[in-house]
Amino acid sequence: MKHIRNFCIIAHIDHGKSTLADRLLDFTGSVTEREKQAQLLDNMDLERERGITIKSHAIQMDYVHEGEQYTLNLIDTPGHVDFSYEVSRSIAACEGALLVVDAAQSIQAQTISNLYLALENDLEIIPVLNKVDLPSANPEEVTDDIVDLLGCDPEDVIPASAKTGIGIEEILHAIITKIPAPSGKVDAPLRALIFDSVYNPFRGVETFFRVINGSIKKNQHIKFVATGKDYSADEVGTLKLIQHPKQEIKTGDVGYLITGIKDAREVKVGDTITDAKNPTTEAVAGFEDVKPMVFAGIYPVDTEDYEELRASMEKLQLNDASLVFTPESSAALGFGFRCGFLGMLHLEIIQERLEREFDMTVITTVPNVSYQAYTNKHPDDIILVNNPSDLPEPSTLNRVEEPFIKASIITKADYVGPVMSLCIEKRGEITNQSYLTTERVELSFDMPLAEIVFDFYDRLKTVSRGYASFDYSPIGLRTSKLVKVDVLLNGNKVDALSALLHQDNAYDIGKKMCEKLKELIPRQQFDIPIQAAIGAKIISRETVKALRKDVTAKCYGGDISRKRKLLEKQKKGKKRMRQVGNVEIPQEAFMAVLKLN
Ligand code: GDP
Ligand code: MG
């Protein structure tokens, strides 16, 4: 145990976490030439393309320091706020963290939010000033910022370049000398924290854990505390680039477990593994059942593909337990599913995986957060509103509560004004403003989560010219004045275009929705009126004018193959169109309300 170090790397996105992880693997000889490829830890295609780590993984390195052999377990953490619960569990599995700060960008919102998580878990923090090789690096100033933030000595900050290799040895030295060794009880009953799991289609779910007390042995009869289920530990081992099966994983160490579980939902991040016959009396603190934050309908473009979509979603759920879905039907779109996601990135990932891995073409409807409504008749019964159509009739409605978040934004002093206006427009209330330096300001707001879903990131980027970073955490529900805004096309209500909006914004957004839809809906043989309505009241109207001529008219009488080609071309363009009544609606239209500006 004395020779184990468990650590993670925390950083704002793009500050160099993955590059540093690769460099550490390189330096410790944990990777062979053949295995070398950019960003080893991001092993899903999607992650590599987006350059972000979606799922956390762990990897073990061996390193000799002053003649003694050490085992270093690097636990990777996801880099997006949608997965912050997983970040918190990965952090809980460590004794120390490398806090990586870009020497050109300095401290950003995720630097601080991750640091707080690490401090809550009493982690030893090793500050790393990365990218010192950059000509735009500002090492003295950024070191000062770090010293201010942590209250450490300037000498504690390690100047490094994950790109060129500067400082890597110093970082390894600090990991060994500063991060405490694990301190569990070897003789106590098994108590291990699940910090991650990955679905493997051949071997079932692989569970990654950190042993806190006792040990876990091959073939041991084990139990998961939160789910209450028991299993045989068919295989346990350590995680190098490939898995190394072992007879036993001991106190303080990190490993993987295979039990033949085929459904990701049985393995909950944050759950405790214990011995089935001699269980621990104390589960690891901090377990939460993750709840979806954003909901949207997913429908097949072709109604005949409904069963295939269901099968695909079920398979996806086996390897992504945070995806939830229930069947729903829409008058406009037919049969589909109401799906719950951790956030907007998660929604995009699921949509993309459905297309890439399952070859499904789907339509996603306007996302919304989960509201709680109460009626006058039963003021104590919570009605979960995960779909605009679930909102009770206004006449029977007592009140609606909506989820709020605490948003933290770090920006340059020059952009405080525009950032504040944006947040206030988004129904934010400022709760704190503090100057980190004379140049950099941290702003805190209480804001409705729904406003973040609706094009917040893009606008923040625009108003701050890219100089703002943003992070948030949920702070519970608050009463809010919500109305359902419906959209009518050609006089028919299209339920899949309905949105729940705050009363104060409803007129403005309803108007913009109509304008946007006018841009997106292709012209047809007849005029298409577009209306927004609250209840029976029309609040806005636009018209898509009819086409003058038949598109095929210009090759009238001409060669038939040309005409067919033209029709085929049109059909292709229609791939993502849905016929609703007699109006063709493109996919973008269903998401239009997200990008109104
Ligand atoms: P992550 O989002 O924190 O995982 O960041 P990445 O490791 O993906 O790095 C983001 C970008 O910064 C990539 O283009 C890296 O090549 C680059 N980068 C990372 N470390 C360094 C460094 O020390 N020096 C320079 N010049 N670029 C770096
Ligand atoms: Mg990364």
Side-chain angles (χ1 to χ4, degrees):
M1 228 196 314
K2 215 169 83 207
H3 290 102
I4 297 174
R5 297 292 181 273
N6 299 313
F7 71 104
C8 57
I9 308 178
I10 55 181
H12 190 73
I13 186 116
D14 282 344
H15 283 199
K17 186 174 69 143
S18 302
T19 313
L20 178 60
D22 290 349
R23 190 64 57 238
L24 292 172
L25 294 180
D26 255 353
F27 197 89
T28 54
S30 308
V31 202
T32 62
E33 270 312 310
R34 194 167 53 85
E35 292 162 331
K36 259 184 209 165
Q37 48 176 311
Q39 312 220 335
L40 281 162
L41 290 179
D42 299 344
N43 60 4
M44 273 169 76
D45 283 355
L46 217 84
E47 291 185 5
R48 201 171 300 145
E49 274 169 37
R50 288 164 176 256
I52 49 165
T53 308
I54 295 164
K55 290 293 288 182
S56 49
H57 305 279
I59 196 152
Q60 192 170 80
M61 295 171 259
D62 297 317
Y63 188 61
V64 177
H65 178 75
E66 292 178 350
E68 308 228 9
Q69 171 98 21
Y70 287 85
T71 299
L72 312 181
N73 292 307
L74 165 58
I75 294 174
D76 198 23
T77 55
H80 193 276
V81 58
D82 283 10
F83 306 98
S84 58
Y85 174 69
E86 288 185 26
V87 179
S88 82
R89 296 303 81 205
S90 297
I91 285 176
C94 300
E95 278 81 22
L98 304 178
L99 179 75
V100 174
V101 179
D102 186 317
Q105 303 288 327
S106 194
I107 290 153
Q108 299 291 344
Q110 273 175 279
T111 319
I112 295 185
S113 57
N114 282 322
L115 173 67
Y116 287 164
L117 283 177
L119 292 175
E120 271 168 33
N121 286 281
D122 293 326
L123 263 51
E124 178 70 33
I125 309 293
I126 299 174
V128 175
L129 178 73
N130 191 33
K131 305 197 190 183
V132 291
D133 63 294
L134 281 180
S136 56
N138 242 330
E140 289 83 21
E141 248 174 68
V142 177
T143 300
D144 286 349
D145 292 353
I146 297 173
V147 168
D148 280 351
L149 180 69
L150 296 178
C152 61
D153 284 334
E155 300 77 62
D156 294 335
V157 181
I158 305 174
S161 166
K163 193 171 177 184
T164 66
I166 300 170
I168 301 303
E169 201 167 358
E170 288 79 355
I171 293 172
L172 285 162
H173 181 87
I175 290 170
I176 286 166
T177 55
K178 292 196 169 160
I179 298 177
S183 61
K185 297 189 196 101
V186 180
D187 303 326
L190 169 64
R191 181 168 179 248
L193 165 67
I194 298 177
F195 61 82
D196 194 16
S197 72
V198 164
Y199 179 82
N200 179 320
F202 305 106
R203 312 224 293 163
V205 178
E206 299 168 356
T207 302
F208 303 145
F209 60 84
R210 149 77 196 267
V211 182
I212 295 167
N213 290 333
S215 75
I216 181 165
K217 296 183 187 70
K218 184 177 161 67
N219 297 327
Q220 184 173 349
H221 188 195
I222 52 163
K223 194 173 105 180
F224 289 2
V225 173
T227 61
K229 295 200 176 178
D230 58 316
Y231 308 92
S232 159
D234 296 341
E235 184 180 318
V236 294
T238 54
L239 295 145
K240 303 277 171 99
L241 263 190
I242 52 166
Q243 299 173 338
H244 291 262
K246 292 270 154 69
Q247 287 304 314
E248 182 179 19
I249 306 293
K250 295 184 183 151
T251 315
D253 213 347
V254 171
Y256 73 91
L257 160 75
I258 289 170
T259 57
I261 294 173
K262 294 289 182 205
D263 184 340
R265 281 172 292 183
E266 284 182 40
V267 183
K268 294 186 187 289
V269 168
D271 199 353
T272 304
I273 309 173
T274 191
D275 186 75
K277 280 170 245 125
N278 182 23
T280 174
T281 50
E282 222 188 320
V284 184
F287 173 76
E288 272 173 37
D289 244 326
V290 281
K291 281 192 212 69
M293 303 288 269
V294 171
F295 291 80
I298 290 190
Y299 289 82
V301 163
D302 200 332
T303 44
E304 282 162 29
D305 294 338
Y306 174 74
E307 281 306 326
E308 208 185 317
L309 178 60
R310 175 201 294 280
S312 307
M313 302 265 288
E314 277 167 0
K315 278 194 196 137
L316 254 182
Q317 197 175 45
L318 288 181
N319 66 58
D320 182 349
S322 42
L323 169 69
V324 298
F325 62 93
T326 47
E328 73 170 5
S329 63
S330 143
L333 298 176
F335 291 104
F337 301 94
R338 176 81 359 193
C339 308
F341 310 93
L342 297 176
M344 288 302 283
L345 176 69
H346 189 216
L347 182 157
E348 270 179 57
I349 291 167
I350 294 294
Q351 202 180 333
E352 256 179 79
R353 291 188 66 187
L354 279 171
E355 305 203 336
R356 288 187 196 200
E357 294 167 36
F358 298 93
D359 206 21
M360 298 296 312
T361 319
V362 295
I363 282 187
T364 310
T365 64
V366 185
N368 57 263
V369 299
S370 185
Y371 300 96
Q372 296 191 357
Y374 300 84
T375 56
N376 290 321
K377 215 167 173 186
H378 305 285
D380 296 325
D381 295 351
I382 299 170
I383 301 167
L384 270 187
V385 181
N386 292 338
N387 184 336
S389 67
D390 298 335
L391 190 73
E393 278 304 309
S395 57
T396 65
L397 192 61
N398 179 288
R399 67 180 196 284
V400 189
E401 294 179 346
E402 73 169 319
F404 269 66
I405 53 150
K406 178 181 165 56
S408 155
I409 296 166
I410 295 181
T411 189
K412 286 194 174 174
D414 297 351
Y415 301 113
V416 167
V419 168
M420 280 220 205
S421 316
L422 172 66
C423 292
I424 289 163
E425 181 197 322
K426 295 284 189 181
R427 296 193 279 137
E429 269 174 38
I430 187 149
T431 56
N432 193 33
Q433 172 178 10
S434 62
Y435 278 77
L436 300 171
T437 65
T438 50
E439 269 299 291
R440 298 156 47 71
V441 185
E442 182 179 10
L443 302 168
S444 304
F445 291 89
D446 288 357
M447 276 171 89
L449 175 66
E451 299 290 342
I452 306 292
V453 172
F454 285 47
D455 87 339
F456 182 74
Y457 288 99
D458 288 349
R459 297 227 12 233
L460 182 64
K461 236 191 238 160
T462 311
V463 301
S464 66
R465 309 234 166 109
Y467 287 109
S469 60
F470 168 64
D471 208 344
Y472 69 83
S473 54
I475 52 170
L477 294 155
R478 293 188 186 175
T479 302
S480 193
K481 293 205 171 87
L482 285 182
V483 292
K484 180 156 83 85
V485 176
D486 296 315
V487 172
L488 292 84
L489 295 180
N490 215 7
N492 301 314
K493 190 161 102 183
V494 181
D495 57 357
L497 288 172
S498 297
L500 293 175
L501 301 171
H502 191 265
Q503 187 177 289
D504 295 348
N505 305 339
Y507 279 78
D508 186 41
I509 295 181
K511 182 165 179 285
K512 286 182 182 156
M513 276 165 73
C514 289
E515 288 164 5
K516 190 79 187 181
L517 288 169
K518 183 185 174 185
E519 265 171 47
L520 293 172
I521 293 176
R523 296 165 71 177
Q524 284 168 228
Q525 309 299 336
F526 45 88
D527 277 3
I528 307 167
I530 303 171
Q531 294 161 304
I534 298 175
K537 189 171 169 199
I538 303 293
I539 57 171
S540 181
R541 182 194 159 113
E542 297 283 336
T543 306
V544 180
K545 285 283 178 206
L547 280 171
R548 292 269 177 70
K549 280 189 211 126
D550 183 341
V551 257
T552 58
K554 51 176 156 319
C555 33
Y556 180 73
D559 104 44
I560 190 82
S561 76
R562 232 179 94 197
K563 191 162 175 173
R564 192 176 303 128
K565 257 193 204 138
L566 195 62
L567 285 172
E568 259 163 32
K569 213 164 132 199
Q570 273 190 315
K571 216 163 140 194
K572 253 207 186 130
K574 259 183 213 164
K575 215 178 151 222
R576 260 173 199 287
M577 295 270 200
R578 258 318 269 272
Q579 179 94 27
V580 176
N582 52 359
V583 181
E584 295 267 7
I585 310 179
Q587 155 77 60
E588 304 85 77
F590 292 98
M591 301 288 267
V593 4
L594 295 183
K595 301 203 172 80
L596 291 176
N597 284 282

